[in-house]
Amino acid sequence: MTHGYAPAAPGPSVPPGPGGRPPRSTLVVTAHAGDFVWRAGGAIALAASRGEKVTIACLTFGERGESAKAWREGKKLDEIKAIRREEAERAAAALGASVRFFDAGDYPLTATAELTDHLVAVYRETQPDVVLTHPTEDPYNGDHPAANRMALEARVLAQAIGYPGEGEIIGAPPVFYFEPHQPEMSGFRPEVLLDITEVWETKREAMECLGAQQHLWDYYTDLAVRRGVQLKRNAGPNLGLAHRTMAEAFMRPYPQIAKELA
């Protein structure tokens, strides 16, 4: 399948970091147009609120498998792609991120050398300090593991000085897997609980940009509440957490590097 990868539209202006250094960079590799909002919208909004650069690599629009409402309304494929693109652009803007679309086709999303090569270029361009993507398992949606495989392979290839392509090689940015829709069936463990209380309203605003999947608004609100309860339970006493703490859950496929245990 020929895809329509194109450079990103200009994203939010990000000032230099301390000492004139480039701002920290987060790269989000997502299978469908809505995934980055439901699963990592809080993490994205937090990074952007700290003045960091966030780039979303959106491999498909979710036009075939995650746009049932538009199909039932009689919309055609190109119309649905346009709807989902516009939704994702508004959601990314609400979160403070830039988004670029690969238009690789969903259901199924097929991992290819060409797509992986484009991702390598994005890694080298953005030089991410952190990578967010899908976990390796999802028995309900094969597009998500496909996105994971390409995200991880591109991360390795982007480190290889002999791999052809423009841009400087990258280091080894830590990777966080965001929570799938059916975590119990996908081998997901909430190893990292991220407090997103301060940006919750921003995430909710971004969620409400996704009219094609309105049925998920309440589901992911409830999930943020449950993960917030778990965060407070594991955070220890007297930390001044909000009464209604909201959180997102992540897994780490690679070891955490530290000089002290915390």
Side-chain angles (χ1 to χ4, degrees), residues 10-257:
S13 177
V14 179
R21 295 190 300 272
R24 278 177 55 87
S25 172
T26 295
L27 176 61
V28 185
V29 181
T30 177
H32 309 110
D35 293 337
F36 70 90
V37 181
W38 313 122
R39 294 159 169 79
I44 293 168
L46 277 175
S49 74
R50 295 191 294 263
E52 300 177 18
K53 179 181 179 180
V54 184
T55 305
I56 300 160
C58 187
L59 300 182
T60 85
F61 297 112
E63 64 271 14
R64 295 186 186 278
E66 302 198 346
S67 303
K69 178 182 176 184
W71 285 106
R72 292 191 182 105
E73 291 172 349
K75 300 288 195 302
K76 303 301 183 184
L77 182 62
D78 286 346
E79 293 179 279
I80 295 170
K81 285 185 178 184
I83 290 168
R84 298 312 310 274
R85 179 181 188 127
E86 190 268 339
E87 289 182 351
E89 287 175 337
R90 286 195 294 115
L95 296 172
S98 64
V99 59
R100 57 189 71 189
F101 302 96
F102 289 69
D103 193 11
D106 69 327
Y107 278 64
L109 168 62
T110 302
T112 67
E114 182 185 11
L115 273 173
T116 301
D117 186 63
H118 283 313
L119 277 176
V120 170
V122 174
Y123 270 95
R124 288 183 172 178
E125 175 193 339
T126 60
Q127 294 288 312
D129 297 283
V130 174
V131 176
L132 309 179
T133 194
H134 299 270
T136 58
E137 300 178 43
D138 191 336
Y140 296 94
N141 194 318
D143 291 358
H144 298 158
N148 167 277
R149 290 193 297 274
M150 286 185 283
L152 296 191
E153 183 177 5
R155 174 183 174 275
V156 171
L157 295 176
Q159 298 174 56
I161 195 168
Y163 187 84
E166 297 181 0
E168 295 293 326
I169 61 171
I170 68 170
V175 177
F176 293 84
Y177 293 164
F178 37 64
E179 184 167 2
H181 190 70
Q182 299 275 6
E184 302 88 348
M185 303 299 295
S186 302
F188 182 86
R189 290 171 54 86
E191 296 170 341
V192 178
L193 294 169
L194 181 68
D195 188 341
I196 63 168
T197 308
E198 67 182 83
V199 295
W200 167 250
E201 293 303 326
T202 301
K203 176 172 180 175
R204 178 72 193 201
E205 178 187 349
M207 287 165 53
E208 292 181 3
C209 292
L210 304 177
Q213 294 178 287
Q214 185 173 349
H215 61 286
L216 294 178
W217 295 359
D218 288 343
Y219 177 90
Y220 280 98
T221 298
D222 293 342
L223 179 60
V225 171
R226 294 198 303 275
R227 293 308 188 197
V229 170
Q230 294 168 351
L231 185 150
K232 288 194 290 186
R233 179 64 181 83
N234 288 277
N238 303 318
L239 294 184
L241 294 173
H243 176 68
R244 189 172 188 252
T245 302
M246 311 295 274
E248 289 174 343
F250 298 86
M251 284 181 67
R252 296 195 64 147
Y254 301 113
Q256 178 181 354
I257 307 303

